Amino acid sequence: MSVCRKICPLLSAFWPERRAITRRIVRYLVMALALMALSAPALAQDRGAVERQFRNWLAETVLPRARAEGVSRKTFDAAFAGVTLNWDLPDLVPPGTVARVPQRQRQAEFSSPGKYFSRGAVGGAASVGRQMAARYAKTLAAVERRTGVPGRIILAIWGRESGYGRASIPYDAFQVLGTKAFMSTRAPYFTDELIAALKIAQAGHVSPRAMKSSWAGALGQPQFMPSNFLKFAADGDGDGRADIWNSEADTIASIASYLSAHGWVSGRDWGFEVTVPASVSCSLEGPDQGRTIATWEAAGIRRVSGKPFPARERQAEGFLLMPAGRNGPAFIATPNFFVLKAYNNSDLYALFVGHVGDRIQYGVGDFSAHWGAVGGLYRSDVATMQRALEAQGHDVGGADGLPGFKNRRSIGRWQEANGRTATCFPEAGMKGVLGR
């Protein structure tokens, strides 16, 4: 009550007619503070109990499965020596708790796609990439001969993923994967990745404590998840190991191995920036609406460079790509663009890689068309629009609040059906119509 005697008169000066309410508010505050003080040691005690459950889970669940997949007890013990749970990782669901219901996505505005292509990010990746192209020319040429994947594309991915090995990759992979496998919202997935990491250590590619990852468990300079390491990591320097943490040659070979295995078509480009006349609907975008590039050309689509499409490309399939709808650059993408998306399922990521690769090798400048000042909507607003489009029979690719190609073209089709100019991108003015 001493706290109330000090605070209540101050609050009552502003709320003289509600002194009783003021006293109750202060009492609740005092009780809440007391509960917080009492819960701190309890929380520490609970964490200690969870840590013990973690060690038991490792011994009773992970070890038997690891042994069945060829991992020795020696490797297992080395991997988890001194490892404790990392309570700072996202999406954790400790034993005895339930997953939080996602809050309305107010925190996540999406802005113009152009911000992904900031001058510093693109220019820096290209500038350092050119240095790396000269430094590792022999390795890149050998890998390109073997896999068909151009060196410029390998370099652009390397630069995007880890700054050509200069970015910090600070986490202990076994702590991250162990924590997420034990108590995350995607525990089964991370359990599989944890077993894969143990198999990497068993094979001697890297010692357990040197197996560094991102906070999500992605490994080394190419940022492979452990299961992808086992499938695609390659020995580029001939020492019998695939060391994607310390070997640039292994990193280069591994990125090429991944793209080759996912269907990179040798001799084809990733895409071309183009102009799209008004007579060609932006709703024709997407990898399921391909046409020969000659057909797109006959419809009036032209390269912004003024050059004709290469002869080897004209009779091959191409796809309309408009990441900002009518509010930014447009492209005719080849199947190789979607191989880049297999590395990271984002149109902007794949476009960044292709563009930086072109700048590294050909010295091209910025895109010809400017990115419009679009965006600024909350993801929750876009998700509301997506659900409204779904209710009308459109396939928007899921109500995730992100303007993927299915969402973009669905907006374009809705605009055309309602007598509007098709822009194929979510806009604030649509909230009052599609947001109901």
Side-chain angles (χ1 to χ4, degrees), residues 39 47 49 106 119 172 214 247 267 269 277 391 424 428:
S39 66
R47 287 195 175 185
R106 282 286 182 187
R119 189 174 298 274
D172 183 299
S214 71
S247 170
D269 212 317
C424 296

Side-chain angles (χ1 to χ4, degrees), residues 152-153 156 269-271 353-364:
R152 71 181 190 278
I153 296 296
D269 212 317
W270 66 268
V353 167
H355 181 55
V356 168
D358 287 351
R359 291 177 78 124
I360 289 172
Q361 184 163 337
Y362 306 124
V364 301

Side-chain angles (χ1 to χ4, degrees), residues 62-63 65 109 115 121 139 147 165 178-179 186-188 210 254 256 259 271 320-321 349 355 358 366 392 401-402 429:
V62 178
L63 177 58
R65 181 175 166 186
E109 279 188 329
K115 290 194 174 181
T139 299
T147 65
T179 299
R186 300 173 66 199
S254 296
L259 297 177
L320 184 61
L321 171 69
Y349 175 92
H355 181 55
D358 287 351
D366 295 336
Q392 298 179 33
L402 297 174

